Amino acid sequence: MSDPKPIIWMRPEKSMRGPAPTHSREEIAAVAIKIADAEGLEAASVRNIARNLDAGAMTLYRYLPTKEDLWAVMIDEATVFEPQEPTGDLRADLIVLARRRRQQFLRHPWLAPLLATRPIIGPNYLRGMERDLAVLGGCGLRIDDTIDVLNLIYSWVSGAVQAELTERANAHESGVDRHSWRMRMKPYLVSLLATGEFPYLSKMTEAAEIAEADEQFETGLAIILGGIEARYSTPENNRSSTAD
């Protein structure tokens, strides 16, 4: 079996032979992101990108030979590094981290699902991970605890945003928003609850309100952060890796 080809970040952007490149990876990625944001990831094909750049499709394959390469540069361009200095307040710093990640995913609806496919990640994304690790390290967490907390925040934000975006897409395609859907379901739900077989659903229905996406996100984040604080607030858990 032959050795696999080096990932794109280990390959020079300009070949030692041939003409100088007309376009940069960043330029191609920016166009691909614009298309994907507007029309979805599948629309960001080499053919469509080439058309927007007024270039030949075969020319672009010299820069990014595979779809994996294209996705790698798109992810890196979409995750431009934003600094964040640790304050020492774990809850406050995690709120900033989670909100920033959510906004990033909302700006680029294709990004969260793509990151879940174990893509080749580049320097910008890795700088962001280094920043997040440093932020939690600055709050006194050990490295293994930091990894657990970050994985939890990353996974929860990704899931919450994908649910939010799916709801938007469903409402757009069907013309039925959540409120209209609930009103349509209400007579059926009331008839079931009247049987007395669903006491907890009855309580939930009485208490439930249709929260906006921002409110849902903040409520879920508060619950998660409360659990994180409870777990790591004790002295034996709130130790930095240097103290081990």
Side-chain angles (χ1 to χ4, degrees), residues 48-65:
N48 282 342
I49 297 167
R51 186 181 301 116
N52 279 265
L53 285 172
D54 195 23
M58 295 307 298
T59 301
L60 294 191
Y61 282 117
R62 297 209 319 263
Y63 302 88
L64 304 166

Side-chain angles (χ1 to χ4, degrees), residues 196-216:
E197 296 179 19
F198 305 94
Y200 284 97
L201 280 176
S202 295
K203 292 178 182 179
M204 183 192 78
T205 303
E206 292 171 2
E209 296 182 1
I210 303 178
E212 295 298 327
D214 289 349
E215 183 181 350
Q216 283 188 316

Side-chain angles (χ1 to χ4, degrees), residues 69-244:
D69 293 334
L70 174 60
W71 288 351
V73 297
M74 288 176 67
I75 291 170
D76 211 52
E77 186 71 14
T79 53
V80 176
F81 177 77
E82 299 176 46
Q84 180 183 342
E85 293 296 326
T87 67
D89 184 327
L90 180 61
R91 187 184 188 91
D93 287 347
L94 283 174
I95 287 174
V96 172
L97 190 155
R99 288 175 179 170
R100 183 187 61 234
R101 197 168 181 86
R102 177 185 180 230
Q103 290 306 314
Q104 197 172 62
F105 287 160
L106 290 176
R107 284 195 299 270
H108 309 296
W110 49 272
L111 182 56
L114 187 54
L115 284 173
T117 67
R118 294 172 63 185
I120 301 298
I121 54 179
N124 271 335
Y125 189 84
L126 292 175
R127 288 188 190 100
M129 289 185 65
E130 175 68 18
R131 171 205 56 214
D132 295 347
L133 290 166
V135 165
L136 296 195
C139 293
L141 264 64
R142 299 176 298 187
I143 189 62
D144 53 341
D145 295 330
T146 294
I147 293 169
D148 289 341
V149 170
L150 281 182
N151 282 337
L152 173 61
I153 294 295
Y154 286 173
S155 297
W156 180 77
V157 172
S158 176
V161 171
Q162 290 187 70
E164 180 180 347
L165 292 172
T166 299
E167 171 59 35
R168 286 189 193 178
N170 287 342
H172 177 74
E173 291 176 10
S174 67
V176 179
D177 60 18
R178 277 197 304 158
H179 179 76
S180 300
W181 176 80
R182 285 169 64 105
M183 290 301 99
R184 186 181 179 192
M185 288 287 296
K186 186 175 180 180
Y188 171 65
L189 186 59
V190 168
S191 67
L192 285 182
L193 298 181
T195 66
E197 296 179 19
F198 305 94
Y200 284 97
L201 280 176
S202 295
K203 292 178 182 179
M204 183 192 78
T205 303
E206 292 171 2
E209 296 182 1
I210 303 178
E212 295 298 327
D214 289 349
E215 183 181 350
Q216 283 188 316
F217 180 85
E218 295 297 332
T219 298
L221 181 59
I223 293 171
I224 289 175
L225 295 182
I228 291 172
E229 284 185 310
R231 181 176 179 85
Y232 298 111
S233 62
T234 57
E236 62 269 21
N237 282 327
N238 193 20
R239 293 182 292 119
S240 69
S241 58
T242 57
D244 290 343

Side-chain angles (χ1 to χ4, degrees), residues 1-6:
M1 182 176 178
S2 60
D3 291 335
K5 188 175 184 179

